[in-house]
Every structure is written in C-alpha cells, then in structure tokens.
Amino acid sequence: MKTIFFLALAFVCLISASISTLSSLEEVSFSERQVISSTSDGVWSVFVADLDNDGFLDVLSASTTDNTIAWYRNLGNATFSEAHILSQSSLGAVSVFAADFNNDGDLDVVAASSRDDTVSWFKNNGDLTFTMQTPISINADSVFSVFSADLDSDGFMDVLSASQNNNTVTWYKNNGDETFTEQTPISTTAEEANTVIAADLDNDGNIDVLSSSYDDDSIIWYKNNGDGSFTAQTPVSSTLLGAITVYAADINNDGYLDVLASGLVSTEVVWYENNNDGTFSEKAIISLGIYGPNSVRTCDLDNDGYQDVLVAGYLDDTITWYRNNSDETFTKMSLISTSSDGAKNASAADIDNDGDLDVLAASCYDDTLAWYENNLLANEANGKLIFKILISVSISLGVIGIGIRIYFLTKKKTN
C-alpha cells in the first residue's frame, strides 16, 4: 500500500515539475519600436487611457521643450492619429494623468508644467476636443508630478502634486462643480519632491499617499486619516540615493500593496515588502546598474498572475523588464529597447486589444513616443499548442486512483 502511494505521489510530482518547466520556458518577446510620434520635443511623460470611449486605449503625452500636452487617438488597427493638441503653453510640461473629474463619463486630463508652476486640467468635451479650465494651482513651485485619486471618498476625483523647489506634496479637493481647492499640504519637507502617487497601503479603505524626494534620498508614505488630513509615517526608505520615482503594487500576492522605487544616483531598483503593520522592509534590489532608472512600473507582461517590473533607463537609453518569479525574486529578461534616447517614462497597456500588455515609452532626446507589441499571445496563435493537465488523486478504502485529463487549447489571433 505504501509503495503504491509513494509511486503515485512521485508521479504527480513529476508531472507537476514538467508543467512548471514548460511554463517557465514560455517566451515573451516584443516587436521593434513602433513610432507614435517623433516630433514631441523633449517628451517627458506618457499616460494611457481611453479618451474617446471607443474601447481602444489612446496615448497622452507631456513634452517639456515645446510646452505641449497632446493626445494620440488609437485608430483600432495598431496605428495612431496625428497629435491632438490640448495645450502648447504649458511651460516645461513634465507630467500628465487622466481621470473623470466632473463625473460625466469622459476622462479629463490633468497636467503639471514646471516652469510656470502650474497644475492645469482640461475638460473632455466628448467630441475628441478638450477645453482648458481654470488652473488648479499656479503656485506649485517647479511642480514635477501629478496624480489623481478620490482622497476624501466623496465620489469625486481629487488631484495630488509634488513640487521640487518648495519640497511640497499637496492635494487639491474636487469641489464637485469643476473647481478645486488646495488643502493643507501633506508635506513641506520632502526635499526636491519629484513623484507622488496614491494607494491604500494599510487596507483601511482610505487612499494613502506615497512620495519620492531626490535630495533627502527618501520614499515616504502618508497615512490618510479619513478626515482630509494625512500623517507622515516611518519612511519606507531614507537611503535610496537620488530617489527619483515610486510605485505601489502587490509584488508577492499577499493582499497588501508593496512599494517599488528607484534611485537615480544609486542606479538601484528596489522593492519594499508591506509588513501589514504600517512598516515596510527592504526585500531585494531588483536591478543595480541601469543608468538613470527614471521610471519604474509594475505590470503582468507574461500573464502569469504576478506583477513584473518595467524600467526606463534615462542615461543608457534602455527599456528593461524583470520577470517576477513568484517567489519574491526577479529575473532580468531580454531588453525591450536599447535605443530610446533619453528614456524618461515607460508604461504598459493592451494597445492592440489582443489580451497581453504592450509597452509604451517616452524618450526625450529623440523626441519620440513609441510602443512595442507584446508577442506573447501572437506567438501562441501562430502554431504554439497550449495544454493543461488536470491530475486528481483519490485514496479510498485502501484503493488509490489517479485520473488525468489533458485539455488542448489553441488560439487564433483576431484582427
């Protein structure tokens, strides 16, 4: 009896190991650069959103040299329109974000322009045009980052900004009538604050705030007290040299949002585990040696249910991704690009609606917005046979039964 049992167990383990090996060999590759625009002078920021409600994700950009906020319509056939201009007077445009500020069902746009200290927003008219509204702020001294979230849980999307020259992270309450009111700053001591995002880090239902600040090498989170105020917590890190960007995602699938950050001086990309008690522990350096890791994001590029990491290297012109091995470690994969001259920003989205996440990048020295098609599902559609094996083992009254079902799946790429 014991012999039979252990033979069955060994068989199951062998099959499981084989499945694991096959999964690990699944290839993710990306196409050559597909240019959306090569005339976005000093393009700094890229954001993806369905701005025209047609079911295809469009692309927003902020370009600092030509002071332009623009969007490019996804035509639904893996191509994009020429630029639709929202503004050409946003001096030093560096950051852009989309959210529905007036709850009319259309995504509006908020932007930061550092040379005129302005946080501005543009109303989506629902007809492919936008109208600039009264600025949210004209006193955000060298504003470098904007973000949007419903911080006071009133059903309206508020706005966050990080300003370098006055070391300030602050938020602006959406009054529900297409106007905003600046609130008490969240922080005035984030030295050269450069990135701000919002996420519920303590799972209390309130959206907290995260910032990175260059001069004090810090990643700091601020607890949302639920009454419109925020309290700075123990820093996630105060030793990340030249902290330049921060992001939040559940890296290890434990139900709590962890923190991902990069240091421009240290060249590190690091993640910090959420300990579920208001503190974070540095887990591992994901990467050391990407020169100018100006942008970090998480995204599931291989469709395995774990968040991978995407990095834009500003000084080495690279777009790199790191596969999440599902055991709190990462593996560097093939470079997506080595020619994104001055890569400032990278993000992921399903541009062609084929079920896998593609990559977008903004590179400021060659003035280029581009995307790279993820060929994961295309490879499968072009003849790769996918199968799943379901194994069941039953032990009853001294009898062991082993059942095996094999499911063969094929996929055809749709146009």
Side-chain angles (χ1 to χ4, degrees):
M1 174 65 190
K2 286 184 178 180
T3 301
I4 297 174
F5 174 81
F6 284 113
L7 283 173
L9 185 60
F11 177 75
V12 171
C13 292
L14 178 61
I15 294 295
S16 298
S18 299
I19 295 170
S20 176
T21 301
L22 286 167
S23 175
S24 69
L25 292 174
E26 186 166 31
E27 184 67 25
V28 179
S29 64
F30 291 86
S31 71
E32 295 297 316
R33 171 193 278 195
Q34 302 184 58
V35 174
I36 298 171
S37 171
S38 59
T39 58
S40 301
D41 199 359
V43 64
W44 206 273
S45 176
V46 61
F47 192 86
V48 182
D50 185 3
L51 296 173
D52 55 2
N53 283 348
D54 67 349
F56 291 93
L57 292 171
D58 309 302
V59 174
L60 265 168
S61 69
S63 40
T64 189
T65 305
D66 61 10
N67 310 313
T68 297
I69 308 297
W71 75 284
Y72 303 82
R73 187 181 184 197
N74 187 333
L75 301 178
N77 59 355
T79 65
F80 289 83
S81 71
E82 295 296 316
H84 295 263
I85 304 299
L86 279 67
S87 171
Q88 291 180 310
S89 58
S90 299
L91 302 182
V94 290
S95 181
V96 68
F97 199 93
D100 185 1
F101 293 121
N102 53 2
N103 285 5
D104 67 350
D106 296 310
L107 292 177
D108 309 300
V109 173
V110 61
S113 42
S114 61
R115 292 202 302 271
D116 59 12
D117 307 325
T118 297
V119 177
S120 53
W121 81 280
F122 305 84
K123 180 179 177 178
N124 188 333
N125 299 316
D127 59 0
L128 307 184
T129 66
F130 290 78
T131 302
M132 182 182 288
Q133 305 297 300
T134 301
I136 295 172
S137 175
I138 56 173
N139 299 305
D141 196 3
S142 190
V143 61
F144 212 71
S145 175
V146 287
F147 199 90
S148 181
D150 185 4
L151 297 172
D152 54 3
S153 300
D154 66 350
F156 290 92
M157 296 294 284
D158 308 301
V159 171
L160 282 156
S161 70
S163 306
Q164 292 186 318
N165 286 353
N166 61 1
N167 308 317
T168 296
V169 176
T170 195
W171 74 286
Y172 310 86
K173 178 179 171 61
N174 186 334
N175 299 316
D177 59 2
E178 301 189 350
T179 67
F180 293 81
T181 301
E182 184 170 355
Q183 304 298 297
T184 301
I186 295 170
S187 175
T188 57
T189 59
E191 297 180 24
E192 199 172 324
N194 48 46
T195 304
V196 63
I197 68 165
D200 185 3
L201 295 172
D202 54 4
N203 281 9
D204 66 351
N206 296 316
I207 305 297
D208 309 301
V209 173
L210 263 169
S211 71
S212 61
S213 38
Y214 184 87
D215 276 356
D216 58 11
D217 308 318
S218 291
I219 306 296
I220 300 175
W221 81 281
Y222 311 87
K223 179 178 172 62
N224 186 334
N225 299 316
D227 59 2
S229 67
F230 293 80
T231 303
Q233 305 297 298
T234 301
V236 176
S237 176
S238 57
T239 59
L240 184 60
L241 298 181
I244 192 66
T245 192
V246 66
Y247 199 75
D250 187 359
I251 298 292
N252 53 1
N253 283 11
D254 67 349
Y256 288 85
L257 294 177
D258 309 299
V259 172
L260 180 71
S262 66
L264 198 63
V265 176
S266 68
T267 73
E268 293 173 311
V269 176
V270 188
W271 79 279
Y272 306 87
E273 184 178 12
N274 189 331
N275 298 319
N276 314 336
D277 61 0
T279 66
F280 292 80
S281 298
E282 182 173 330
K283 287 298 292 183
I285 295 174
I286 296 172
S287 171
L288 179 63
I290 289 182
Y291 295 106
N294 201 79
S295 166
V296 294
R297 296 287 187 274
T298 66
C299 44
D300 186 4
L301 292 174
D302 55 2
N303 282 3
D304 68 348
Y306 287 87
Q307 292 291 302
D308 308 303
V309 172
L310 184 66
V311 185
Y314 170 55
L315 298 178
D316 61 11
D317 307 327
T318 59
I319 307 296
T320 310
W321 78 283
Y322 298 83
R323 183 175 185 178
N324 187 330
N325 299 319
S326 76
D327 60 359
E328 302 189 349
T329 67
F330 290 82
T331 299
K332 182 178 180 179
M333 308 303 286
S334 299
L335 290 169
I336 296 172
S337 174
T338 59
S339 58
S340 297
D341 195 4
K344 273 291 183 183
N345 197 263
S347 62
D350 188 0
I351 294 297
D352 51 5
N353 280 10
D354 68 348
D356 52 31
L357 295 180
D358 310 299
V359 170
L360 291 101
S363 42
C364 66
Y365 291 146
D366 59 9
D367 308 324
T368 297
L369 275 171
W371 74 286
Y372 305 83
E373 183 179 1
N374 186 336
N375 295 317
L376 174 65
L377 296 184
N379 288 340
E380 292 174 354
N382 292 329
K384 181 175 181 180
L385 188 64
I386 305 165
F387 61 91
K388 293 183 178 179
I389 301 178
L390 178 64
I391 305 169
S392 61
V393 178
S394 61
I395 303 175
S396 177
L397 298 176
V399 178
I400 298 177
I402 301 175
I404 302 175
R405 295 181 182 179
I406 302 177
Y407 297 88
F408 291 90
L409 307 175
T410 59
K411 295 188 179 182
K412 294 182 179 179
K413 192 174 178 76
T414 57
N415 296 316

